[in-house]
Amino acid sequence: MATEQAEQQAVEEITPQEAFTELDEGGVKLIDTREPYEYEESHIEGSELIPPGVIADRIEAAVPDKSQRIILQCRSGARSWDAAQVLAAKGYTNLANMGGGILEWEAQGLPVASDSGLTPEQRDRYSRHILLPEVGVEGQLKLLNAKVLLLGAGGLGAPTALYLAAAGIGTIGIVDDDVVDASNLQRQVIHNTSRVGTPKSSSARQTIEELNPDVEVVEYNYRLDASNILETIEDYDIIVDGADNFPTRYLLNDASVRLRKPVVSASILSFDGQISTFIPYEGPCYRCLYPTPPPPELAPSCSANGVLGAMAGQMGLLQANEVLKLVLGIGEPLVGRLLLYEALGTRFTELKVRRDPECPICGPNAPEVPESEMGKFPDYEAFCGGHVGS
């Protein structure tokens, strides 16, 4: 007990300002006891990173003289205090723990450095992402460099766009030729009353820019068709399908397979929704799932049947979640899986979906499209018989 008390007394607690003064005077070794991903986010200039799990093994190589002044710091002061006790037990006699850690250091306006490529404002905005080991600084940079195209700024596109923008997706394209109507506002939460009559792509852009200035929004205020689809989607990493009609869904599927673009597709009606992720040749495509559109009586529109607004938001957020997983390369995307959601019972049902060996688009016997024919597509209006989707 006496030995333990002596070790505790060997560690001095100092403030960030006191640490800054000592570091400025020189002759002090500053040890950062956080994890590498935290150090990349922000660190104190001149500090040496030694994670807590290895400090007992590495400290003597970093500081051979056990009488040298050592200041330890971490995020809030707890891990560095524990590390200081380890050093005291190893015979180091001039130890100080920086109370409050780098959080308090930054709160007092003291300078920090970063290896992350993120600005101080970005480190603050995305701090909860950066704290996740699965994301970290590297993942946040992937998000900021990603380009995602949304088909529609309606019931699905609105919540998806909001959360992708909040997450820091660097470029968001929005394809929508409609204008905001009062009947949209029950579920299309990216719009507001003052923008009734405004193009939806413009209204969505305004909201996103107010939410996150890091995001570049590209408007496509037209209807997607065979004449413009390849040019529209070719520069994007991922497509989010929130289309409201079957001809567009089949057109998107065929074009995305040709260009090998992942598509996160969802649909909604009344109290039911469904979602899947289509990655060409890694799993089934939309045509594998639906070789032909359903008859009109089985697929009425939301304008005819209605839709629960909150349920549209839930499905849109699932789409945003799928996009983030794809960009970050984490988790298990809904490839080869169709997730069904029934809002009244709050029930999810998952169905396995396999590639159709007879699929005319992605099957092994599907005809190869020559370069000269890439922009030519079938008449999807005739194929779908004018059916309306979600």
Side-chain angles (χ1 to χ4, degrees), residues 10-11 65-70 87-88 91-95:
V11 179
D65 182 359
K66 293 187 177 182
S67 65
Q68 182 176 347
R69 178 64 163 175
I70 300 175
L87 268 57
Y92 286 86
T93 59
N94 195 0
L95 302 169

Side-chain angles (χ1 to χ4, degrees), residues 185-250:
L185 302 180
Q186 160 257 14
R187 64 199 178 282
Q188 298 178 20
V189 292
I190 205 166
H191 312 299
N192 60 45
T193 304
S194 67
R195 296 188 194 146
V196 170
T198 302
K200 286 184 179 179
S201 60
S202 177
S203 172
R205 175 183 54 76
Q206 292 179 62
T207 300
I208 290 171
E209 289 176 346
E210 291 171 0
L211 174 63
N212 189 350
D214 286 343
V215 180
E216 178 185 0
V217 180
V218 183
E219 290 185 58
Y220 301 93
N221 191 17
Y222 52 69
R223 191 173 187 83
L224 210 59
D225 60 30
S227 71
N228 58 35
I229 188 166
L230 292 183
E231 179 183 358
T232 303
I233 73 174
E234 64 181 352
D235 290 333
Y236 288 89
D237 305 312
I238 300 167
I239 317 300
V240 177
D241 176 16
D244 62 356
N245 64 88
F246 283 111
T248 300
R249 288 186 184 274
Y250 282 98

